[in-house]
Amino acid sequence: MQRERAELLRLCRDLNSDEWHRPSLAEGWRIQDVVAHLGSGCHAMFSPALISMLRSTDIERTNDVFVDRRREWSPARVLGEYERWSGRVTVLAGLIAARGVGRVRVPAGELGRFPLGQVLTGALVFDVHTHLRHDIAPALGRTVPGTDPERMTLVLAWMFAVLTNQLRVTPPVGLTGPIDIELDGPGGGTWSVHPDGTVLGRPAAAPVAVVSASTLEFPEWATRRARWQDRQVSVVGNRDVAARFLDALNIV
């Protein structure tokens, strides 16, 4: 969390007024709005706005509402909110880990319930990682920051936890057998998605298809920021079944 936070702050402190107001690659949001989203999410952990997040039935719409309230803020105020409250979340996450209560499951809107420790670490690292590398840096023509296995492990664990909850509510249609997702790179591994919606952190015994991709590209196309067909994704086995699954994939 500290390393990801430092990457975002480093880039934002170097922005000029024009860059703050440029469109990001997150539809409808300027660069400033993306940072406002990240700051408002951290701030909500310590305010009544947390109730809105926990009870939300449309987390993306809830995020839009938080951002809309900050549209007229100055860039300095937006960045100040993120810097202050993300620092406090980092401290809170450490305290919770030290006291062993991180396994208590809490709601995260319509995304389902997750261990508190995972929400305070995985969800926030995923959010900063994805917005910084796929919405902010490319929109500004900046070099995409590097990462490491520890951060990517958190990002991927959160994404597959969300996918697990999504598939429990809406099992994959037309999946005749398990699909393996092999991700190569920092934090990589193999996850298997089964017809009943179960997602396991190991290969299936007899997958109908194996999807191979990069860990660094997965957060982009699995959140529909890019088409999986336009990235380095290969499929071995039943391509039709795999394509239906990948076309429907949208981890938010």
Side-chain angles (χ1 to χ4, degrees):
M1 288 179 68
Q2 291 171 340
R3 290 196 291 273
E4 208 71 313
R5 175 176 180 268
E7 291 284 9
L8 181 66
L9 290 173
R10 186 179 300 114
L11 184 146
C12 287
R13 287 170 181 153
D14 191 44
L15 299 181
N16 59 41
S17 178
D18 173 67
E19 289 174 315
W20 275 105
H21 292 92
R22 286 187 196 174
S24 76
L25 297 185
E27 186 176 356
W29 282 359
R30 304 164 297 172
I31 300 298
Q32 177 174 325
D33 298 328
V34 177
V35 180
H37 156 63
L38 296 171
S40 65
C42 293
H43 194 170
M45 299 285 183
F46 303 90
S47 76
L50 179 62
I51 302 301
S52 298
M53 293 178 64
L54 298 179
R55 294 181 176 177
S56 174
T57 58
D58 187 342
I59 197 69
E60 293 190 311
R61 177 58 193 146
T62 299
N63 290 335
D64 283 332
V65 170
F66 289 172
V67 169
D68 288 344
R69 292 172 183 167
R70 292 160 170 81
R71 290 279 184 182
E72 303 306 316
W73 286 20
S74 69
R77 186 179 178 187
V78 167
L79 184 58
E81 181 180 45
Y82 175 76
E83 184 169 12
R84 178 183 184 186
W85 294 102
S86 63
R88 293 190 176 189
V89 171
T90 301
V91 172
L92 177 63
L95 292 173
I96 286 175
R99 285 162 174 73
V101 297
R103 291 187 295 274
V104 175
R105 299 183 72 85
V106 296
E110 84 275 15
L111 301 182
R113 301 179 73 87
F114 304 90
L116 177 59
Q118 189 174 39
V119 172
L120 290 175
T121 55
L124 295 181
V125 172
F126 160 76
D127 220 17
V128 175
H129 172 97
T130 306
H131 286 302
L132 175 58
R133 289 165 180 79
H134 302 295
D135 295 332
I136 296 176
L140 296 172
R142 298 293 186 98
T143 300
V144 174
T147 186
D148 53 54
E150 290 82 8
R151 281 182 279 178
M152 287 307 302
T153 294
L154 283 174
V155 169
L156 297 174
W158 174 255
M159 293 183 73
F160 281 105
V162 173
L163 178 61
T164 297
N165 283 351
Q166 288 177 326
L167 295 180
R168 283 174 180 165
V169 175
T170 308
V173 176
L175 194 57
T176 57
I179 290 178
D180 280 356
I181 301 177
E182 294 181 345
L183 300 178
D184 182 50
T190 301
W191 291 260
S192 55
V193 180
H194 295 257
D196 64 356
T198 301
V199 180
L200 301 177
R202 60 177 182 269
V208 297
V210 177
V211 176
S212 299
S214 161
T215 58
L216 300 182
E217 291 187 346
F218 183 68
E220 183 185 22
W221 59 260
T223 60
R224 291 194 179 178
R225 285 171 165 80
R227 296 182 345 127
W228 64 269
Q229 296 93 332
D230 296 332
R231 296 296 180 261
Q232 296 298 312
V233 180
S234 65
V235 177
V236 175
N238 192 321
R239 187 173 179 86
D240 289 340
V241 170
R244 282 196 296 271
F245 172 76
L246 294 175
D247 287 343
L249 190 63
N250 184 21
I251 301 173
V252 299

